[in-house]
Amino acid sequence: MILGAVVGPAHADALWRCVGAQGETVFSSSRVGYRNCRRIADTGVQALGSARDGPPASAPAAASTPPSAVMPAQPVVASLEPAQVTTLPRIHRHARVLRGTVYKVTLANGTVEYTNVRPADIQARRVDALFTYLSVCYACNPHSDIDWHTVPLRLHAYASAIDAAAARYRIDPALLRAVIHAESAFNPYAVSDKGAQGLMQLMPGTASDMGVRDVFDPAQNILGGARYLAHLLQDFGGNTTLATAAYNAGSAAVRKYGNQVPPYDETQLYVRRVRILLGRYARAEHGAALARNG
């Protein structure tokens, strides 16, 4: 499955929808190496430009971003060596992809491909990781084989931002860490298929309401998520279980079921796993404080 578009060099004047070697859909400026190609656009290939810049206002939407694409407002590019990318596990054609990474692959002929399928049997001149995506939050997958009682904790990740946000909104830093861990596994560039973004998986409307301008900035995302969580704790009388249920399913869902955790499998799992992580982070922080005070 290709999760994005493929564009060619600036002189290219057509965009093709093709089938790749693994049966995946490919949007490309070149038909070479693909089959069943169908021309879908004659303009806009050049307009897509750099993945860092995004399309200009005049670029046709169909050429710049296919309907299946999920693109953050400001993708962050981290250069990877092609050898690293080819070690990624293969994706079974009929498997549901719950999380992964979107790559920008620059081929030897100058064609640029945006894909979530690992490059295979191609000569890539450069491979960049643009962003990662989640189908569901990290702790929401009912088929997860993670042992939440032993999964490694991230006590030092974004510690200053977490502590500052917790102090500002008077919430337990262990709770913030538990929610971040449950939502994104501390991945600041995570994007869900519903549009939730960043460390605390803020929806665009929530991020705007909480004053977050750049959801991929860890400090802003944590501050916005902490503010939202503080509102939920206030709404539900300091009840952490109900606040985290509302963080996942929404306040309206919690109230609909009489201020109980909604009977949704995802939310039930989420609340249980956050509770486990909260207890572990609280104990770890307490132990670290004792060690410091000595």
Side-chain angles (χ1 to χ4, degrees):
M1 176 178 66
I2 291 293
L3 194 76
V6 183
V7 299
H11 63 269
D13 60 356
L15 185 65
W16 302 87
R17 177 172 178 153
C18 308
V19 177
Q22 301 178 53
E24 73 276 17
T25 299
V26 174
F27 294 85
S28 179
S29 60
S30 170
R31 291 175 289 173
V32 177
Y34 304 122
R35 56 188 170 86
N36 298 341
C37 293
R38 178 171 61 88
R39 182 181 290 219
I40 62 173
D42 293 317
T43 60
V45 176
Q46 180 178 354
L48 184 60
S50 167
R52 294 177 186 268
D53 300 331
S58 59
S64 60
T65 309
S68 61
V70 180
M71 296 292 287
Q74 296 179 332
V76 176
V77 178
S79 181
L80 299 177
E81 295 296 329
Q84 290 179 275
V85 176
T86 57
T87 63
L88 293 173
R90 288 186 178 272
I91 298 173
H92 298 292
R93 188 175 302 177
H94 301 295
R96 183 185 178 197
V97 181
L98 294 178
R99 56 184 178 267
T101 303
V102 171
Y103 302 99
K104 175 185 176 184
V105 182
T106 304
L107 305 182
N109 66 1
T111 300
V112 178
E113 176 176 309
Y114 294 86
T115 176
N116 68 333
V117 177
R118 66 169 186 158
D121 301 322
I122 61 173
Q123 296 297 317
R125 190 169 68 197
R126 173 173 173 168
V127 179
D128 297 307
L130 295 184
F131 66 97
T132 58
Y133 62 91
L134 305 167
S135 179
V136 295
C137 78
Y138 185 64
C140 298
N141 179 11
H143 306 296
S144 172
D145 58 1
I146 295 171
D147 185 343
W148 300 93
H149 294 278
T150 60
V151 64
L153 301 181
R154 301 288 304 277
L155 283 169
H156 303 295
Y158 309 106
S160 59
I162 290 172
D163 291 342
R168 179 169 178 174
Y169 293 110
R170 299 181 182 180
I171 60 178
D172 187 351
L175 178 59
L176 268 185
R177 287 187 169 88
V179 171
I180 293 170
H181 200 147
E183 289 289 339
S184 68
F186 287 85
N187 184 342
Y189 308 122
V191 179
S192 80
D193 62 358
K194 294 181 180 178
Q197 301 170 322
L199 284 168
M200 299 194 70
Q201 289 293 276
L202 300 177
M203 294 297 289
T206 302
S208 179
D209 290 343
M210 298 299 110
V212 178
R213 294 188 176 184
D214 181 359
V215 290
F216 298 105
D217 176 81
Q220 288 191 45
N221 193 288
I222 291 170
L223 204 60
R227 182 180 176 186
Y228 181 50
L229 195 53
H231 284 311
L232 295 175
L233 286 165
Q234 184 176 19
D235 288 346
F236 294 102
N239 188 312
T240 301
T241 297
L242 296 183
T244 53
Y247 197 95
N248 175 262
S251 298
V254 174
R255 293 193 181 95
K256 176 182 177 180
Y257 291 97
N259 284 343
Q260 301 293 324
V261 177
Y264 312 144
D265 289 344
E266 176 184 312
T267 304
Q268 296 272 339
L269 282 171
Y270 178 86
V271 169
R272 286 200 297 270
R273 291 166 177 174
V274 168
R275 185 184 299 123
I276 292 169
L277 290 169
L278 171 58
R280 292 183 62 207
Y281 275 110
R283 289 190 295 272
E285 289 175 3
H286 180 67
L290 288 177
R292 286 195 301 270
N293 297 329

